[in-house]
Coordinates of all heavy atoms in Angstrom, one line a residue:
M133 N 9.3 0.4 -23.8 CA 8.0 -0.3 -23.5 C 7.6 0.1 -22.1 O 8.4 0.3 -21.2 CB 8.3 -1.8 -23.6 CG 7.3 -2.7 -23.0 SD 7.6 -4.5 -23.0 CE 8.9 -4.7 -24.2
R134 N 6.3 0.3 -21.9 CA 5.7 0.6 -20.6 C 5.0 -0.7 -20.0 O 4.4 -1.4 -20.8 CB 4.7 1.7 -20.7 CG 5.3 3.1 -20.9 CD 4.3 4.2 -20.9 NE 3.5 4.2 -19.6 CZ 3.9 4.7 -18.5 NH1 5.1 5.1 -18.3 NH2 3.1 4.6 -17.4
L135 N 5.2 -0.8 -18.7 CA 4.6 -2.0 -18.1 C 3.7 -1.6 -16.9 O 4.0 -0.6 -16.3 CB 5.7 -2.9 -17.5 CG 6.7 -3.5 -18.5 CD1 7.8 -4.2 -17.8 CD2 6.1 -4.3 -19.6
R136 N 2.7 -2.4 -16.7 CA 1.9 -2.3 -15.4 C 2.1 -3.6 -14.7 O 1.9 -4.7 -15.3 CB 0.5 -2.1 -15.8 CG -0.4 -2.1 -14.5 CD -1.9 -1.9 -14.8 NE -2.2 -0.7 -15.5 CZ -2.8 -0.6 -16.6 NH1 -3.2 -1.6 -17.3 NH2 -3.0 0.6 -17.2
V137 N 2.4 -3.6 -13.4 CA 2.5 -4.7 -12.6 C 1.5 -4.6 -11.4 O 1.4 -3.6 -10.8 CB 4.0 -4.9 -12.0 CG1 4.1 -6.0 -11.0 CG2 5.0 -5.0 -13.1
E138 N 0.8 -5.7 -11.2 CA -0.1 -5.9 -10.1 C 0.5 -7.0 -9.2 O 0.9 -8.0 -9.7 CB -1.5 -6.2 -10.5 CG -2.1 -5.2 -11.4 CD -3.4 -5.7 -12.0 OE1 -4.3 -6.1 -11.2 OE2 -3.6 -5.6 -13.2
F139 N 0.6 -6.7 -7.9 CA 1.2 -7.7 -7.0 C 0.6 -7.7 -5.6 O 0.0 -6.7 -5.2 CB 2.7 -7.5 -6.9 CG 3.1 -6.3 -6.1 CD1 3.4 -6.4 -4.8 CD2 3.3 -5.1 -6.8 CE1 3.7 -5.3 -4.1 CE2 3.6 -4.0 -6.1 CZ 3.9 -4.0 -4.7
T140 N 0.7 -8.9 -5.0 CA 0.4 -9.0 -3.6 C 1.4 -9.8 -2.9 O 2.1 -10.6 -3.6 CB -1.0 -9.7 -3.4 OG1 -0.9 -11.0 -4.0 CG2 -2.1 -8.9 -4.0
T141 N 1.6 -9.6 -1.6 CA 2.5 -10.5 -0.8 C 1.7 -11.1 0.3 O 0.7 -10.6 0.7 CB 3.6 -9.6 -0.2 OG1 3.1 -8.6 0.7 CG2 4.5 -8.9 -1.3
E142 N 2.1 -12.3 0.6 CA 1.4 -13.1 1.7 C 2.4 -13.6 2.7 O 3.5 -13.8 2.3 CB 0.6 -14.2 1.0 CG -0.5 -13.8 0.1 CD -1.2 -14.9 -0.6 OE1 -1.5 -15.9 0.1 OE2 -1.5 -14.8 -1.8
P143 N 2.0 -13.9 3.9 CA 0.6 -14.1 4.4 C 0.0 -12.7 4.8 O 0.7 -11.8 5.0 CB 0.8 -14.9 5.6 CG 2.2 -14.7 6.1 CD 3.0 -14.4 4.8
F144 N -1.3 -12.7 4.7 CA -2.0 -11.5 5.1 C -2.2 -11.4 6.6 O -2.2 -12.4 7.3 CB -3.5 -11.5 4.5 CG -3.5 -11.5 3.0 CD1 -4.0 -12.6 2.3 CD2 -3.1 -10.4 2.3 CE1 -4.1 -12.6 0.9 CE2 -3.1 -10.4 0.9 CZ -3.6 -11.4 0.2
D145 N -2.3 -10.1 7.0 CA -2.6 -9.9 8.4 C -3.5 -8.7 8.4 O -3.1 -7.6 8.1 CB -1.3 -9.6 9.3 CG -1.6 -9.5 10.7 OD1 -2.8 -9.1 11.1 OD2 -0.7 -9.6 11.5
L146 N -4.7 -8.9 8.8 CA -5.7 -7.8 8.8 C -5.5 -6.8 9.9 O -6.0 -5.7 9.9 CB -7.1 -8.3 8.8 CG -7.5 -9.1 7.5 CD1 -8.9 -9.7 7.6 CD2 -7.3 -8.3 6.2
D147 N -4.8 -7.2 11.0 CA -4.7 -6.3 12.1 C -3.5 -5.4 12.0 O -3.5 -4.2 12.5 CB -4.5 -7.1 13.4 CG -5.8 -7.9 13.7 OD1 -6.9 -7.4 13.5 OD2 -5.6 -9.1 14.3
E148 N -2.4 -5.8 11.4 CA -1.2 -5.0 11.3 C -0.5 -5.4 10.0 O -0.4 -6.6 9.7 CB -0.3 -5.3 12.5 CG 0.9 -4.5 12.6 CD 1.7 -4.8 13.8 OE1 1.1 -5.1 14.8 OE2 2.9 -4.6 13.8
A149 N 0.1 -4.4 9.3 CA 0.9 -4.7 8.1 C 2.1 -5.6 8.5 O 2.9 -5.1 9.3 CB 1.3 -3.4 7.4
P150 N 2.2 -6.7 7.9 CA 3.4 -7.5 8.1 C 4.7 -6.9 7.6 O 4.6 -6.0 6.7 CB 3.1 -8.9 7.4 CG 1.9 -8.7 6.6 CD 1.3 -7.4 7.0
A151 N 5.8 -7.3 8.1 CA 7.1 -6.7 7.6 C 7.3 -6.7 6.1 O 7.7 -5.8 5.5 CB 8.3 -7.4 8.3
H152 N 6.9 -7.9 5.5 CA 7.1 -8.0 4.1 C 6.2 -7.0 3.3 O 6.6 -6.5 2.2 CB 6.9 -9.4 3.6 CG 5.5 -9.9 3.8 ND1 4.4 -9.7 3.1 CD2 5.1 -10.7 4.8 CE1 3.4 -10.3 3.6 NE2 3.7 -10.9 4.6
A153 N 5.1 -6.7 3.8 CA 4.2 -5.7 3.1 C 4.8 -4.3 3.3 O 4.7 -3.5 2.3 CB 2.8 -5.7 3.7
V154 N 5.3 -4.0 4.4 CA 6.0 -2.7 4.6 C 7.2 -2.5 3.7 O 7.3 -1.5 3.0 CB 6.4 -2.5 6.1 CG1 7.2 -1.2 6.3 CG2 5.1 -2.5 7.0
V155 N 8.0 -3.6 3.6 CA 9.1 -3.6 2.7 C 8.7 -3.4 1.2 O 9.3 -2.6 0.5 CB 9.9 -4.9 2.9 CG1 10.9 -5.0 1.7 CG2 10.6 -4.8 4.2
A156 N 7.6 -4.1 0.8 CA 7.1 -3.9 -0.5 C 6.7 -2.5 -0.8 O 7.1 -2.0 -1.9 CB 5.9 -4.9 -0.7
R157 N 6.0 -1.9 0.1 CA 5.6 -0.5 -0.1 C 6.8 0.4 -0.2 O 6.9 1.3 -1.1 CB 4.7 -0.1 1.1 CG 4.2 1.4 1.0 CD 3.2 1.7 2.0 NE 3.8 1.4 3.4 CZ 3.1 0.8 4.3 NH1 1.9 0.3 4.1 NH2 3.7 0.6 5.5
E158 N 7.8 0.2 0.6 CA 9.0 1.1 0.6 C 9.8 0.9 -0.7 O 10.2 1.9 -1.3 CB 9.9 0.8 1.8 CG 9.3 1.2 3.1 CD 10.1 0.7 4.3 OE1 11.0 -0.1 4.1 OE2 9.7 1.1 5.4
V159 N 9.9 -0.3 -1.2 CA 10.6 -0.6 -2.4 C 9.9 0.1 -3.6 O 10.6 0.8 -4.4 CB 10.7 -2.1 -2.7 CG1 11.2 -2.4 -4.1 CG2 11.7 -2.8 -1.7
I160 N 8.6 -0.1 -3.7 CA 7.9 0.4 -4.8 C 7.8 2.0 -4.8 O 8.0 2.6 -5.8 CB 6.5 -0.2 -4.8 CG1 6.6 -1.7 -5.2 CG2 5.6 0.5 -5.8 CD1 7.3 -2.0 -6.5
Q161 N 7.6 2.5 -3.6 CA 7.5 4.0 -3.5 C 8.8 4.7 -3.8 O 8.8 5.9 -4.1 CB 6.9 4.4 -2.2 CG 5.4 4.0 -2.1 CD 4.7 4.4 -0.8 OE1 5.4 4.4 0.3 NE2 3.5 4.7 -0.8
S162 N 9.9 4.0 -3.6 CA 11.2 4.6 -3.8 C 11.8 4.3 -5.2 O 12.9 4.7 -5.5 CB 12.2 4.2 -2.7 OG 12.5 2.8 -2.8
A163 N 11.1 3.6 -6.0 CA 11.6 3.1 -7.3 C 11.5 4.2 -8.4 O 12.0 3.9 -9.5 CB 10.9 1.9 -7.7
G164 N 10.9 5.3 -8.2 CA 10.8 6.3 -9.2 C 9.9 6.0 -10.4 O 10.1 6.3 -11.5
L165 N 8.8 5.2 -10.1 CA 7.9 4.8 -11.1 C 6.8 5.9 -11.4 O 6.6 6.8 -10.5 CB 7.2 3.5 -10.7 CG 8.2 2.3 -10.5 CD1 7.5 1.2 -9.9 CD2 8.9 2.0 -11.8
D166 N 6.2 5.8 -12.5 CA 5.2 6.9 -12.9 C 3.9 6.8 -12.1 O 3.3 7.9 -11.8 CB 4.9 6.7 -14.4 CG 6.1 6.9 -15.3 OD1 7.1 7.5 -14.8 OD2 6.1 6.3 -16.4
A167 N 3.4 5.6 -11.8 CA 2.1 5.5 -11.1 C 2.3 4.4 -10.1 O 2.7 3.3 -10.4 CB 1.0 5.2 -12.1
V168 N 1.9 4.7 -8.9 CA 2.0 3.7 -7.8 C 0.7 3.8 -7.0 O 0.2 4.8 -6.6 CB 3.1 4.0 -6.8 CG1 3.1 3.0 -5.7 CG2 4.5 4.0 -7.6
D169 N 0.0 2.6 -6.9 CA -1.2 2.5 -6.1 C -1.0 1.4 -5.1 O -1.0 0.2 -5.5 CB -2.4 2.3 -7.0 CG -3.7 2.2 -6.2 OD1 -3.8 2.7 -5.0 OD2 -4.7 1.7 -6.7
V170 N -0.8 1.7 -3.9 CA -0.5 0.7 -2.8 C -1.8 0.6 -2.0 O -2.3 1.5 -1.4 CB 0.7 1.1 -2.0 CG1 0.9 0.1 -0.9 CG2 1.9 1.2 -2.9
G171 N -2.3 -0.7 -1.8 CA -3.5 -0.9 -1.0 C -3.3 -2.1 -0.2 O -2.4 -2.9 -0.3
P172 N -4.3 -2.4 0.7 CA -4.2 -3.5 1.6 C -4.3 -4.9 1.0 O -3.8 -5.9 1.5 CB -5.3 -3.3 2.6 CG -6.3 -2.5 1.8 CD -5.5 -1.6 0.9
F173 N -5.0 -5.0 -0.2 CA -5.2 -6.3 -0.8 C -4.6 -6.4 -2.2 O -4.7 -7.4 -2.9 CB -6.7 -6.6 -0.9 CG -7.3 -6.7 0.5 CD1 -8.1 -5.7 0.9 CD2 -7.0 -7.7 1.3 CE1 -8.7 -5.7 2.2 CE2 -7.5 -7.8 2.6 CZ -8.4 -6.8 3.0
G174 N -3.9 -5.4 -2.7 CA -3.3 -5.4 -4.0 C -2.6 -4.1 -4.3 O -2.9 -3.1 -3.7
N175 N -1.6 -4.2 -5.1 CA -0.8 -3.0 -5.5 C -0.6 -3.0 -7.0 O -0.4 -4.0 -7.6 CB 0.6 -3.1 -4.7 CG 0.4 -3.5 -3.3 OD1 0.1 -2.6 -2.5 ND2 0.6 -4.7 -2.9
T176 N -0.5 -1.8 -7.5 CA -0.3 -1.6 -8.9 C 0.7 -0.5 -9.2 O 0.7 0.5 -8.5 CB -1.6 -1.2 -9.6 OG1 -2.7 -2.1 -9.3 CG2 -1.5 -1.1 -11.1
V177 N 1.7 -0.8 -10.1 CA 2.7 0.2 -10.4 C 2.8 0.2 -12.0 O 2.5 -0.8 -12.6 CB 4.0 -0.2 -9.8 CG1 4.0 -0.2 -8.3 CG2 4.6 -1.5 -10.3
E178 N 3.2 1.4 -12.5 CA 3.4 1.5 -13.9 C 4.7 2.3 -14.1 O 5.1 3.2 -13.3 CB 2.3 2.3 -14.6 CG 1.0 1.6 -14.6 CD -0.1 2.4 -15.3 OE1 0.2 3.4 -15.9 OE2 -1.3 2.0 -15.1
G179 N 5.3 2.0 -15.3 CA 6.5 2.8 -15.6 C 7.2 2.2 -16.8 O 6.7 1.2 -17.4
G180 N 8.3 2.7 -17.1 CA 9.2 2.2 -18.2 C 9.7 0.8 -17.8 O 9.9 0.5 -16.6
A181 N 9.9 0.0 -18.8 CA 10.2 -1.4 -18.5 C 11.5 -1.6 -17.6 O 11.5 -2.4 -16.7 CB 10.4 -2.2 -19.8
D182 N 12.5 -0.8 -17.9 CA 13.8 -1.0 -17.1 C 13.5 -0.7 -15.6 O 13.9 -1.5 -14.8 CB 14.9 -0.1 -17.6 CG 15.5 -0.6 -18.9 OD1 15.3 -1.8 -19.3 OD2 16.1 0.2 -19.7
R183 N 12.8 0.4 -15.3 CA 12.6 0.7 -13.9 C 11.6 -0.3 -13.3 O 11.8 -0.6 -12.1 CB 12.0 2.1 -13.8 CG 13.0 3.2 -14.0 CD 12.5 4.6 -13.6 NE 13.5 5.6 -13.9 CZ 13.6 6.6 -13.2 NH1 12.7 6.9 -12.2 NH2 14.6 7.5 -13.4
V184 N 10.6 -0.7 -14.0 CA 9.6 -1.6 -13.4 C 10.3 -2.9 -13.1 O 10.2 -3.5 -12.0 CB 8.4 -1.8 -14.3 CG1 7.6 -3.0 -13.9 CG2 7.6 -0.5 -14.4
L185 N 11.1 -3.4 -14.1 CA 11.7 -4.7 -13.9 C 12.8 -4.7 -12.8 O 12.9 -5.6 -12.0 CB 12.3 -5.2 -15.2 CG 11.3 -5.6 -16.3 CD1 12.0 -5.9 -17.6 CD2 10.4 -6.7 -15.8
T186 N 13.5 -3.6 -12.7 CA 14.4 -3.4 -11.6 C 13.7 -3.4 -10.2 O 14.1 -4.0 -9.3 CB 15.3 -2.1 -11.7 OG1 16.0 -2.2 -13.0 CG2 16.2 -1.9 -10.6
A187 N 12.6 -2.7 -10.2 CA 11.8 -2.6 -9.0 C 11.2 -4.0 -8.6 O 11.2 -4.4 -7.4 CB 10.6 -1.6 -9.1
V188 N 10.8 -4.8 -9.6 CA 10.2 -6.1 -9.3 C 11.3 -7.0 -8.8 O 11.1 -7.8 -7.8 CB 9.6 -6.7 -10.6 CG1 9.3 -8.2 -10.4 CG2 8.3 -6.0 -10.9
D189 N 12.5 -7.0 -9.3 CA 13.6 -7.7 -8.8 C 13.9 -7.4 -7.3 O 14.0 -8.3 -6.5 CB 14.9 -7.5 -9.6 CG 16.1 -8.2 -9.1 OD1 16.1 -9.5 -9.2 OD2 17.0 -7.5 -8.6
S190 N 13.9 -6.2 -7.0 CA 14.2 -5.7 -5.6 C 13.0 -6.1 -4.7 O 13.2 -6.6 -3.6 CB 14.4 -4.2 -5.6 OG 14.7 -3.8 -4.3
L191 N 11.8 -6.0 -5.3 CA 10.6 -6.3 -4.5 C 10.6 -7.8 -4.1 O 10.4 -8.2 -3.0 CB 9.3 -6.0 -5.4 CG 8.0 -6.6 -4.8 CD1 7.5 -5.6 -3.8 CD2 7.0 -6.8 -5.9
L192 N 10.9 -8.7 -5.1 CA 10.9 -10.1 -4.8 C 12.0 -10.5 -3.8 O 11.7 -11.2 -2.8 CB 11.1 -10.9 -6.1 CG 10.0 -10.9 -7.1 CD1 10.4 -11.5 -8.4 CD2 8.8 -11.6 -6.5
R193 N 13.2 -10.0 -4.0 CA 14.3 -10.3 -3.1 C 14.0 -9.8 -1.7 O 14.2 -10.6 -0.7 CB 15.6 -9.7 -3.6 CG 16.1 -10.4 -4.9 CD 17.3 -9.7 -5.5 NE 17.7 -10.1 -6.8 CZ 18.4 -11.2 -7.0 NH1 18.8 -12.0 -6.0 NH2 18.6 -11.6 -8.3
Q194 N 13.6 -8.6 -1.6 CA 13.4 -8.0 -0.2 C 12.2 -8.5 0.5 O 12.2 -8.7 1.7 CB 13.4 -6.5 -0.3 CG 14.8 -6.0 -0.8 CD 14.9 -4.5 -0.7 OE1 14.4 -3.8 0.3 NE2 15.5 -3.8 -1.7
T195 N 11.1 -8.7 -0.2 CA 9.9 -9.2 0.5 C 10.1 -10.7 1.0 O 9.7 -11.0 2.1 CB 8.6 -9.1 -0.3 OG1 8.8 -9.8 -1.6 CG2 8.3 -7.6 -0.6
L196 N 10.7 -11.5 0.1 CA 11.0 -12.9 0.5 C 11.9 -12.9 1.7 O 11.7 -13.7 2.7 CB 11.5 -13.7 -0.6 CG 10.5 -13.9 -1.8 CD1 11.2 -14.5 -3.0 CD2 9.3 -14.8 -1.3
A197 N 12.9 -12.0 1.7 CA 13.9 -12.0 2.8 C 13.2 -11.4 4.1 O 13.7 -11.7 5.2 CB 15.0 -11.1 2.5
S198 N 12.0 -10.7 3.9 CA 11.3 -10.2 5.1 C 10.2 -11.0 5.6 O 9.3 -10.5 6.3 CB 10.8 -8.8 4.7 OG 11.9 -7.9 4.5
G199 N 10.1 -12.2 5.1 CA 9.0 -13.1 5.6 C 7.9 -13.5 4.7 O 7.0 -14.2 5.1
A200 N 7.8 -12.9 3.5 CA 6.7 -13.3 2.6 C 6.9 -14.8 2.2 O 8.0 -15.2 2.0 CB 6.8 -12.4 1.3
T201 N 5.8 -15.5 2.2 CA 5.8 -16.9 1.8 C 5.2 -17.1 0.4 O 5.3 -18.1 -0.2 CB 5.0 -17.7 2.8 OG1 3.6 -17.2 2.8 CG2 5.6 -17.7 4.2
R202 N 4.7 -16.0 -0.1 CA 4.1 -16.0 -1.5 C 4.1 -14.6 -2.0 O 3.6 -13.7 -1.3 CB 2.7 -16.6 -1.5 CG 2.1 -16.7 -2.9 CD 0.7 -17.3 -2.7 NE 0.1 -17.4 -4.0 CZ -0.7 -18.3 -4.5 NH1 -0.9 -19.4 -3.7 NH2 -1.2 -18.2 -5.6
V203 N 4.5 -14.4 -3.3 CA 4.4 -13.2 -3.9 C 3.7 -13.5 -5.3 O 4.2 -14.3 -6.1 CB 5.7 -12.5 -4.2 CG1 5.5 -11.1 -4.9 CG2 6.5 -12.2 -2.9
S204 N 2.5 -12.9 -5.5 CA 1.8 -13.1 -6.8 C 1.9 -11.8 -7.6 O 1.8 -10.7 -7.0 CB 0.3 -13.4 -6.5 OG 0.2 -14.5 -5.7
L205 N 2.3 -12.0 -8.9 CA 2.3 -10.8 -9.7 C 1.9 -11.0 -11.1 O 1.9 -12.2 -11.6 CB 3.7 -10.1 -9.7 CG 4.9 -10.9 -10.1 CD1 5.2 -10.6 -11.6 CD2 6.1 -10.5 -9.3
Q206 N 1.4 -10.0 -11.7 CA 1.0 -10.0 -13.1 C 1.6 -8.9 -13.8 O 1.6 -7.7 -13.3 CB -0.5 -9.9 -13.1 CG -1.1 -9.9 -14.6 CD -2.6 -9.9 -14.6 OE1 -3.2 -10.5 -13.7 NE2 -3.1 -9.2 -15.5
V207 N 2.2 -9.1 -14.9 CA 2.9 -8.1 -15.7 C 2.2 -7.9 -17.0 O 1.9 -8.9 -17.7 CB 4.4 -8.4 -16.0 CG1 5.1 -7.3 -16.8 CG2 5.1 -8.7 -14.6
N208 N 1.8 -6.6 -17.4 CA 1.2 -6.3 -18.6 C 1.9 -5.3 -19.4 O 2.3 -4.3 -18.8 CB -0.3 -5.8 -18.4 CG -1.2 -6.9 -17.8 OD1 -1.5 -7.9 -18.5 ND2 -1.6 -6.7 -16.6
V209 N 2.1 -5.4 -20.7 CA 2.6 -4.4 -21.5 C 1.5 -3.4 -21.8 O 0.4 -3.9 -22.3 CB 3.2 -5.0 -22.8 CG1 3.6 -3.9 -23.8 CG2 4.3 -5.9 -22.5
I210 N 1.6 -2.2 -21.5 CA 0.5 -1.2 -21.7 C 0.8 -0.2 -22.8 O 0.0 0.7 -23.1 CB 0.2 -0.5 -20.4 CG1 1.4 0.2 -19.8 CG2 -0.4 -1.5 -19.4 CD1 1.0 1.1 -18.6
G211 N 2.0 -0.3 -23.4 CA 2.3 0.7 -24.5 C 3.8 0.9 -24.7 O 4.6 0.2 -24.0
E212 N 4.1 1.8 -25.5 CA 5.5 2.2 -25.7 C 5.8 3.4 -24.8 O 5.0 4.2 -24.5 CB 5.7 2.6 -27.2 CG 5.6 1.4 -28.1 CD 6.6 0.3 -27.9 OE1 7.8 0.6 -27.6 OE2 6.2 -0.8 -27.9
E213 N 7.1 3.4 -24.4 CA 7.5 4.5 -23.5 C 7.7 5.8 -24.4 O 8.2 5.7 -25.5 CB 8.9 4.1 -22.9 CG 9.3 5.1 -21.8 CD 10.3 4.5 -20.9 OE1 10.9 3.5 -21.2 OE2 10.5 5.1 -19.8
A214 N 7.3 6.9 -23.9 CA 7.5 8.2 -24.6 C 8.9 8.5 -24.8 O 9.8 8.2 -23.9 CB 6.8 9.3 -23.8
R215 N 9.3 9.0 -25.9 CA 10.7 9.3 -26.2 C 10.9 10.8 -26.1 O 10.2 11.6 -26.2 CB 11.0 8.9 -27.6 CG 10.8 7.4 -27.8 CD 11.7 6.8 -28.8 NE 11.4 5.4 -29.0 CZ 12.1 4.4 -28.4 NH1 13.1 4.7 -27.7 NH2 11.7 3.2 -28.7

């Protein structure tokens, strides 16, 4: 199964990326996912279910440990993984 996850971390800081946002970007960019779009107000990643779910677990644990007070995410099934 292929998944698409959209997520944000809070609190926001328009002047400088907070530590939790930097950690989120590092976790996602190093997860080996197929598609990664990281932006200032939202982030989207796609990939196989195992990789995405592993990345989300790491994302939640590390961003909360880095000061995030809220992590919002949406998970969508977008198809079957190519064999």
Side-chain angles (χ1 to χ4, degrees):
M133 166 182 343
R134 287 186 54 77
L135 301 176
R136 176 183 299 125
V137 174
E138 299 173 51
F139 70 91
T140 58
T141 61
E142 297 178 41
F144 295 116
D145 184 339
L146 296 177
D147 295 326
E148 182 178 332
H152 60 81
V154 173
V155 166
R157 181 175 52 228
E158 291 170 354
V159 167
I160 291 304
Q161 289 179 330
S162 67
L165 301 170
D166 300 335
V168 175
D169 182 19
V170 177
F173 299 109
N175 310 282
T176 305
V177 299
E178 291 182 13
D182 287 339
R183 283 190 183 213
V184 170
L185 294 174
T186 298
V188 167
D189 177 69
S190 183
L191 171 83
L192 291 171
R193 292 175 189 278
Q194 292 188 42
T195 57
L196 292 171
S198 296
T201 57
R202 179 179 178 146
V203 180
S204 302
L205 62 95
Q206 178 176 324
V207 180
N208 293 295
V209 175
I210 58 172
E212 292 299 317
E213 191 162 16
R215 301 211 183 258

